[in-house]
Amino acid sequence: MLTARLVDNIWATRKAESLSGFKLMLAEIIGGRSDGERLVVVDIISAGIGDRVIISTGSGARRMLGDDSVPVDAVVVGIIDETCQIE
Amino acid sequence: MLTARLVDNIWATRKAESLSGFKLMLAEIIGGRSDGERLVVVDIISAGIGDRVIISTGSGARRMLGDDSVPVDAVVVGIIDETCQIE
Amino acid sequence: MLTARLVDNIWATRKAESLSGFKLMLAEIIGGRSDGERLVVVDIISAGIGDRVIISTGSGARRMLGDDSVPVDAVVVGIIDETCQIE
Amino acid sequence: MLTARLVDNIWATRKAESLSGFKLMLAEIIGGRSDGERLVVVDIISAGIGDRVIISTGSGARRMLGDDSVPVDAVVVGIIDETCQIE
Amino acid sequence: MLTARLVDNIWATRKAESLSGFKLMLAEIIGGRSDGERLVVVDIISAGIGDRVIISTGSGARRMLGDDSVPVDAVVVGIIDETCQIE
């Protein structure tokens, strides 16, 4: 999994029907050599802009949604505690 | 998922039979440290050259096509709204 | 698989229910050109901070947990012997 | 998928039995920031050295072979038309 | 797949039970822009240190082991002939 900060919402009116209702957010990897790399993630645990989160990728991400038919490859699986120093 | 801009069509007369009928496009990643990286994607939601899109990769991409037998690893899953600033 | 050093624990009170009970750790890749890249891993073989470990990624990682429904993409599969020189 | 140029054949007398009969080629990614990266691909559509091709990776690649038991992660899925400018 | 040179054995006394009996080796990618990147691979075709090999990654790697439950993501699928020039 990756550690990242949620930096923005992503709005896409025209999209896959199976993505309807999912909140899409832009995440920026923090720490390590990939620092600053960006990816679009689905959030279903009510994370917000500015939160540091753990992101699961690939087929593991779809396990979070409980529906293997959604065309998704990155999902927020946890919000890192504020007291946790990782940078 | 990745944010990218569609920069061109890709024409391949000789290709896998299962790819027949699918529109192939060249996409260039925008934003973050992977900015400028290129990949070939399948589009089935009528995106056009110049559009900023969300791309799902890996087995998640095939979920978009509703057919797990297509040899595809990257598909456009959404078109980012023009009013959405991500760069 | 990747060789990495476990550098810290990761605490996330709000997380996927299916992740409850799993120990999350921050790992830093050692050796080669990806040296210093970071990822979050699940450990179920009682590795500790400072240990050099082997990390399996992707769907292979979930094989370690014996439960394919956990939204995880990186797991510690072995602790490298102290006498083994890889750096 | 990736755009690449086939640069050579790869010969491996000792290999997985399930790979027997498959033509292995060395491909070099063209265009974008990964330009020059190399990977070994299976070709079953009679592409040749010098051809610009589209390569599918991961589990999508095996879909091209019609046999999910082959230990392969990259396959040529199309030959880019000579008139198509992508560089 | 990737071309790599096997550079060392990896010893891990404490590891996943399902990895028992598998030979783990350290491989270094050769050629292209990823030259020098390292990964840990399983070898079941009696490759040795110094050999140039073809490595399959992801779920394709497990196909080589004939057992999808092993937490592995990289396996040697072939030994490149000595007469084959790829560098």
Side-chain angles (χ1 to χ4, degrees):
Chain A
M1 285 78 72
L2 304 164
T3 51
R5 189 178 299 277
L6 297 177
V7 294
D8 218 336
N9 292 294
I10 297 274
W11 305 104
T13 306
R14 281 168 63 193
K15 59 174 174 285
E17 273 188 40
S18 51
L19 283 179
S20 288
F22 284 119
K23 181 170 61 154
L24 297 172
M25 299 193 77
L26 189 64
E28 208 167 270
I29 294 177
I30 45 177
R33 283 192 41 182
S34 299
D35 192 279
E37 234 166 275
R38 285 181 176 193
L39 65 174
V40 178
V41 301
V42 166
D43 167 49
I44 61 167
I45 58 172
S46 302
I49 294 176
D51 281 350
R52 298 177 309 165
V53 295
I54 300 169
I55 292 168
S56 192
T57 62
S59 56
R62 292 197 301 278
R63 299 304 184 269
M64 181 73 185
L65 304 179
D67 178 355
D68 195 56
S69 71
V70 183
V72 155
D73 62 11
V75 173
V76 175
V77 296
I79 301 174
I80 299 171
D81 291 354
E82 286 190 19
T83 54
C84 184
Q85 298 191 339
I86 58 165
E87 280 155 292
Chain B
M1 286 78 71
L2 303 164
T3 52
R5 189 178 297 278
L6 298 177
V7 294
D8 218 336
N9 292 293
I10 296 274
W11 305 103
T13 306
R14 280 168 65 192
K15 60 174 173 286
E17 274 187 40
S18 52
L19 283 180
S20 289
F22 283 120
K23 181 170 63 155
L24 297 172
M25 300 193 77
L26 189 63
E28 209 167 271
I29 294 177
I30 45 177
R33 282 193 41 181
S34 299
D35 192 278
E37 233 166 277
R38 285 182 175 194
L39 65 173
V40 179
V41 300
V42 166
D43 167 49
I44 61 167
I45 58 173
S46 302
I49 294 175
D51 281 351
R52 297 178 307 165
V53 295
I54 300 169
I55 291 168
S56 191
T57 63
S59 56
R62 292 197 301 279
R63 299 303 185 268
M64 180 73 185
L65 304 178
D67 178 355
D68 195 55
S69 71
V70 183
V72 155
D73 62 10
V75 173
V76 175
V77 296
I79 301 174
I80 299 171
D81 291 354
E82 287 190 18
T83 53
C84 184
Q85 298 191 339
I86 58 167
E87 279 155 293
Chain C
M1 285 79 71
L2 303 165
T3 51
R5 189 178 297 279
L6 298 177
V7 294
D8 218 335
N9 293 293
I10 296 275
W11 305 103
T13 306
R14 281 169 62 193
K15 60 173 173 285
E17 273 187 42
S18 52
L19 283 179
S20 289
F22 283 119
K23 181 171 59 154
L24 297 172
M25 299 193 77
L26 189 64
E28 207 167 272
I29 294 177
I30 46 178
R33 283 192 40 183
S34 299
D35 192 279
E37 234 165 276
R38 285 182 175 194
L39 65 174
V40 178
V41 300
V42 166
D43 167 50
I44 61 168
I45 58 172
S46 303
I49 293 175
D51 281 350
R52 298 177 308 166
V53 295
I54 300 169
I55 292 168
S56 192
T57 62
S59 56
R62 292 197 302 277
R63 299 304 185 269
M64 181 73 185
L65 304 179
D67 178 355
D68 195 56
S69 70
V70 183
V72 155
D73 62 11
V75 173
V76 175
V77 296
I79 301 174
I80 299 171
D81 291 354
E82 288 190 18
T83 54
C84 185
Q85 297 191 339
I86 58 166
E87 279 153 293
Chain D
M1 286 79 69
L2 303 164
T3 52
R5 190 178 297 278
L6 298 177
V7 293
D8 218 336
N9 292 293
I10 297 274
W11 304 104
T13 306
R14 281 168 62 192
K15 61 174 171 285
E17 273 187 42
S18 53
L19 283 179
S20 288
F22 284 119
K23 181 171 61 155
L24 298 172
M25 299 192 78
L26 189 63
E28 209 167 271
I29 294 177
I30 45 177
R33 282 192 41 181
S34 299
D35 193 278
E37 232 166 276
R38 286 182 173 192
L39 65 173
V40 179
V41 300
V42 166
D43 167 49
I44 61 167
I45 59 173
S46 302
I49 294 175
D51 281 351
R52 297 177 308 166
V53 295
I54 300 170
I55 292 168
S56 191
T57 62
S59 56
R62 292 198 302 277
R63 300 302 186 269
M64 180 72 184
L65 305 178
D67 178 355
D68 194 56
S69 70
V70 183
V72 155
D73 62 11
V75 173
V76 175
V77 296
I79 301 174
I80 299 172
D81 291 354
E82 287 190 18
T83 54
C84 183
Q85 297 192 339
I86 58 166
E87 279 154 294
Chain E
M1 286 80 70
L2 303 164
T3 52
R5 190 179 297 279
L6 298 177
V7 294
D8 218 336
N9 293 293
I10 296 275
W11 305 103
T13 306
R14 280 169 63 192
K15 61 173 172 286
E17 274 187 40
S18 52
L19 283 179
S20 288
F22 283 119
K23 181 171 61 154
L24 297 172
M25 299 193 77
L26 188 64
E28 207 167 272
I29 294 178
I30 46 178
R33 282 191 40 181
S34 299
D35 193 278
E37 234 166 275
R38 285 182 174 193
L39 66 173
V40 179
V41 300
V42 166
D43 167 50
I44 61 168
I45 59 172
S46 302
I49 293 174
D51 281 350
R52 297 177 308 166
V53 295
I54 300 169
I55 291 168
S56 191
T57 62
S59 56
R62 292 198 301 278
R63 300 302 185 269
M64 180 73 184
L65 304 178
D67 178 356
D68 195 56
S69 70
V70 183
V72 155
D73 62 11
V75 173
V76 175
V77 296
I79 301 174
I80 299 171
D81 290 354
E82 287 191 17
T83 54
C84 184
Q85 298 191 338
I86 57 166
E87 279 155 292

